[in-house]
Amino acid sequence: MLIYLHGFRSSPSSFKARMIGERMTALGRAAEYASPALPVSPREAIDLVERTFGPGPADTLVGSSLGGCYATHLAERHGCRAVLLNPATRPAAGLARYLGPQTMFHDPSQAFELLPRHLDELRAIEVPAITRPERYFLVAATGDELLDWREMVAAYPGARHRVIEGSDHGLSDFAAYLDEVLAFAGLVPGA
């Protein structure tokens, strides 16, 4: 199973989630792909993924931004693989400036509030150091306008790294790396 975990204020409607879903459908593997709508509460998001999918060693999580933090936590906890797309390595610190009312990117009518307890929940799941780096594939853009790619690389020592010169936080050129992500997950042939 390939499970896409979206970032803060994002959703299963993100272009990366849709692109992965379309590619999995084209491969005849749509039933092996999921992209759940994650609650704002990190604890509830983790609970949802664990309760719904019960990820294990045969599964791959693809986490984008805040979803990268979730994917790392779940990979450490359940032994699954994780692809990290511009992951938030210290999300509690980074999201502190967003406390209060927010709206979703893909549906501005959908409002929520980021609360101090959500930051506490993030601190509780942050992974200080990964184990078994062979389970991880980091895709980091030097042009990420929100997060520092050097912190991402430092957080995943020994893991497979694809550092993209330029690009942006949303990885607008993700199509160029999609099959590499799927190959890491064992879903298409590749290196």
Side-chain angles (χ1 to χ4, degrees):
M1 180 70 113
L2 184 72
I3 306 162
Y4 180 84
L5 305 177
H6 63 74
F8 179 66
R9 297 183 58 207
S10 192
S11 74
S13 297
S14 77
F15 89 95
K16 290 187 296 290
R18 290 190 328 264
M19 187 179 294
I20 294 169
E22 290 165 8
R23 182 75 170 109
M24 291 291 284
T25 298
L27 292 168
R29 302 185 88 156
E32 297 173 64
Y33 175 63
S35 180
L38 300 174
V40 66
S41 161
R43 181 182 39 77
E44 291 173 18
I46 295 296
D47 289 348
L48 172 77
V49 174
E50 289 179 326
R51 187 177 62 254
T52 306
F53 305 106
D59 299 312
T60 301
L61 304 165
V62 178
S64 179
S65 193
L66 179 58
C69 172
Y70 296 162
T72 303
H73 171 79
L74 289 162
E76 287 296 315
R77 190 166 169 163
H78 299 286
C80 47
R81 291 180 302 268
V83 177
L84 311 152
L85 308 174
N86 283 334
T89 57
R90 295 179 297 138
L95 288 177
R97 66 179 179 229
Y98 295 101
L99 284 170
Q102 300 292 326
T103 58
M104 300 297 283
F105 286 128
H106 304 105
D107 183 1
S109 69
Q110 200 174 2
F112 66 93
E113 186 169 1
L114 185 66
L115 303 170
R117 74 174 170 87
H118 296 140
L119 301 183
D120 292 338
E121 291 172 10
L122 282 173
R123 286 184 199 94
I125 65 167
E126 287 180 12
V127 172
I130 62 167
T131 62
R132 298 196 42 218
E134 68 277 5
R135 287 191 310 222
Y136 295 93
F137 177 26
L138 169 68
V139 179
T142 64
D144 188 323
E145 66 278 11
L146 298 177
L147 301 171
D148 188 334
W149 68 274
R150 292 169 289 243
E151 289 181 10
M152 298 174 209
V153 169
Y156 297 93
R160 181 174 173 181
H161 293 173
R162 165 70 66 204
V163 176
I164 302 165
E165 290 299 321
S167 193
D168 51 37
H169 182 67
L171 289 174
S172 55
D173 52 354
F174 181 63
Y177 308 99
L178 176 55
D179 276 355
E180 191 174 359
V181 167
L182 296 179
F184 182 79
L187 298 167
V188 299

